[in-house]
Amino acid sequence: MITLEDRARALGLHGLLARWGEVAEADWLEDLITNEEHERRARSFERRRAAARLPAFSPLADFDWTWPRDIDREAIGELMTLAFISRADNAVLVGGQGTGKTMIAANIAHQALLRGHTVRFEAAPNLLADLAALDSRQALLHRLTVLARPRLLVLDEIGYIRLDSRLADILYTIIARRYRRRSTMITTSLGFAQWDRVFPGAAGIAAAVDRLTHKATIVAIDSDSWRLRHSGN
C-alpha cells in the first residue's frame, strides 16, 4: 500500500518530509499532496503535448465507421489500448487520401499523451527533407537521437510525394534506431509493394519496411475520401 509519505517522497517534497513527524496527522496533508500530484501531471501533459506537435484532429467518436468499405475497427480499438507501445511494436495505417488515417493516428497519439507517454508527430516528407538539408553530420546525428527518444513516433503521409534515395536512407536509420526499443506508427497511401514509387531506386527501403513491419499491426482502410464527401464538391 502506497502511503502519504511514499507519495511525498515521490514528489520530492523534502521540506515536508523533514517535518513529517509534525505534520503526518494534519487534516490538510492529503489535500496538499493530491493537489501537487494533479498540478505536476497537468504540467507534464502540457510539456509533452507541446513537444508532440499533434495536428488538429476530430475525436475518434466522430468517425463514421459505416463509410469505409472495409476497416478493421477491432484492430484500431486494440491500438487505442496502447498495448503495442508497451511491447515496442509498430503500427501502419494504409489507405487513400482523406480516409481518416491521420485522424486515427492523432487519436492514438493523444491517448498515449494522456497515459503519460512521450510522443512526436511528424509529416514524413517534411521531416525527411529537413533532415537531409542539415549542414553537418553532427547535426543530423543529434536530430536522429532526438527522434529515437519518444515512446511513440508518428510519421504521417508517406506516399504522396516522391522522395530520393538519400531520404530513404534517413527513414531506414530512424526506424532502425527505434527497432524493438520504441514504437513507430506510419500512415501511408501505398501498400509496401508500391513504396518503390515513393523512393525510386532506393536500395535501403526494403530493409526499412522489413524492420517496420516486424511485430507490427497493419490496418488497411478501403474507402472513398471522407473529406471529399463532406467538402460540398
Side-chain angles (χ1 to χ4, degrees), residues 20-75:
W20 194 257
E22 303 171 34
V23 302
E25 302 300 324
D27 294 340
W28 48 263
L29 181 61
E30 184 170 4
D31 284 344
L32 183 147
I33 291 175
T34 298
N35 290 337
E36 183 66 21
E37 288 170 336
H38 288 169
E39 179 62 24
R40 292 197 188 188
R41 280 196 294 268
R43 290 200 304 267
S44 171
F45 176 79
E46 285 304 315
R47 286 194 300 269
R48 288 180 291 103
R49 185 192 62 78
R53 302 180 179 180
L54 265 63
F57 64 94
S58 300
L60 197 58
D62 292 345
F63 188 77
D64 184 357
W65 296 98
T66 67
W67 176 248
R69 287 179 290 272
D70 187 29
I71 186 170
D72 192 337
R73 185 173 182 175
E74 184 177 343

Side-chain angles (χ1 to χ4, degrees), residues 79-152:
L79 289 174
M80 284 290 288
T81 70
L82 308 181
F84 78 104
I85 294 179
S86 67
R87 300 189 301 264
D89 290 352
N90 298 325
V92 182
L93 304 178
V94 186
Q97 188 170 7
T99 56
K101 303 182 304 299
T102 297
M103 184 269 282
I104 293 169
N107 272 272
I108 294 168
H110 184 254
Q111 184 67 15
L113 287 172
L114 291 173
R115 297 279 191 87
H117 295 304
T118 51
V119 174
R120 187 71 172 263
F121 196 108
E122 295 279 0
N126 295 344
L127 172 66
L128 295 175
D130 288 347
L131 293 175
L134 292 173
D135 57 8
S136 72
R137 177 174 174 77
Q138 183 177 1
L140 176 59
L141 290 175
H142 172 72
R143 286 288 301 279
L144 290 172
T145 298
V146 169
L147 291 169
R149 289 174 183 158
R151 289 294 302 276
L152 176 63

